[in-house]
Amino acid sequence: MRCVYPARRRSRSSRLPFPPDPCEIAQDVGSLRAVYNGGSRSPEGGIRVLVQDDLLAPEVVRDPYAYFARLRRDDPVHWNKRWGGWLVTRYEDVVRAFRDPARLSSDRMAHFQQELSPHDQERLHVLIRYFSRWLVFTDPPYHTRVRMLVNKAFTPTSVERLRPRVRAIVSELQDGMEQGRHADFIRAFAFHLPVIVISEYLGVPPQDREAVKEWSDETSRIFFIRADDPQRRERSQAGLIKLLEYFAPLIHERRRHPQDDLISALVQAQERGDLLSDDEVLATCTVLLFAGHETTTNLLANGLLALLQHRDQWELLARDPSLASSATEELLRYDGPVKATFRWARVDAELGGKTVRAGDRMLLVLASANRDPDRFPQPDRVDITRNPNPHVAFGHGIHVCLGAPMARLEGQEAFAALARRFPGMRLATDELEYHPTIVSRALAELPVEW
């Protein structure tokens, strides 16, 4: 998932805007000691190793793993002054934070509203109303109740029933790729597979697919931390309104005439007489549509890139497609679609030897946790036979990704089929560009040839 709003930069002590320092925190060998803003040696004479605190710096976007590895080693719970929050990079601490919803909140919209004037809250009331019902942004007891109902509709068994259809879509997309000798894998394959799968699962007819995807893309504008689009909030709300206007009559129709799709399952889900409201079904449809294609596109692109950069693993998968399941788990661990997720401290708490104050925000860095050598032997190596593989690419605890079974299924079918059909596939560029976001690991394009 992407971040829901551009962060207002605050100092930890005053909560007031602070200067955009180009960097912070320099370290003596073995420990972090002081803020470093200029490039000189420390007053003590020790040699400083500069830690870049701009999370959108080109080198950090290009290779977040090297950046977070330094923090994980030297300051695993690190106060980032530029961003105005804590970066949690060690596997043990990330998992501990996921397991503590009583003290660490996922309610992003409550904090988003604090950033807005009363006028802006009214102006963006539709966005606030529905994003506040997205499961990923909610806490118990609301989260517990709605997740229980949604789980009755969105089950691993119901997702597994989609496997033959996913396999057929994969084959059709490969047929299209095979018409040439090169392609941008994202445009030719990774973009289309998850869009088709989630649209069909929801019950969106093929003729509406492009429009629904366009509205979803508009809705996602607010999830980028970059503030280079001054109308991003308004455009996000406009896209969301289009999605709501589209899904509302579908939901009404499915209540009257259920079909074999997810919307029908959602409106029929019951727990002791409790049903999802129309607003809750609408919110669930919009978040599943967004998450169901955005993150899986990144999983497919990042995963293929990792395999092509590790030819022995690509060739192993081509020889033994039964490794598709463990390969997908390893690719999720090695270079997953989501780099980090957010939490807010409800109360003062200790984490990794640091005191996190009530109201502080935290970035749980999944990408770093999944490369922690204390949990994963040879973490920077791709090993599609790795077992066990307790990665946190889909989160952990009560907020583990609802769509994980579908993403896994699509990855398994895609990676095995691609290795079998295109054993000679290789990268067609030495220059890779990633979208500059804090939470997503998203390639702009992936040129390949065969």
Side-chain angles (χ1 to χ4, degrees), residues 85 102 111 122 195 248 274 281 305 319 321 354 368 375 404 410:
H111 296 270
E122 175 59 28
V195 170
D274 188 17
V281 177
L305 173 63
R319 291 194 306 270
K354 302 293 180 66
S368 177
R375 192 64 186 86
E410 293 178 48

Side-chain angles (χ1 to χ4, degrees), residues 137-180:
F137 299 160
T138 62
D139 293 323
Y142 177 86
H143 177 274
T144 305
R145 170 188 160 267
V146 175
R147 178 81 185 229
M148 184 178 297
L149 287 165
V150 173
N151 281 347
K152 290 181 175 296
F154 198 72
T155 65
T157 300
S158 69
V159 171
E160 183 60 31
R161 287 170 48 205
L162 302 175
R163 188 176 293 274
R165 176 58 182 148
V166 171
R167 188 170 295 167
I169 297 168
V170 167
S171 181
E172 292 167 9
L173 292 172
Q174 290 185 124
D175 290 344
M177 291 175 60
E178 219 169 27
Q179 299 303 310

Side-chain angles (χ1 to χ4, degrees), residues 96-110:
R96 180 183 170 193
F98 273 130
R99 291 175 175 173
D100 197 3
R103 295 193 298 172
L104 300 177
S105 172
S106 298
D107 189 354
R108 302 184 193 180
M109 297 313 294

Side-chain angles (χ1 to χ4, degrees), residues 37 45 60 82 119 150 211 257 275 298 318 327 369 371 375 410:
N37 288 315
V60 177
R82 185 184 184 95
H119 171 73
V150 173
H257 305 291
L275 296 169
N298 295 340
R371 297 280 192 102
R375 192 64 186 86
E410 293 178 48

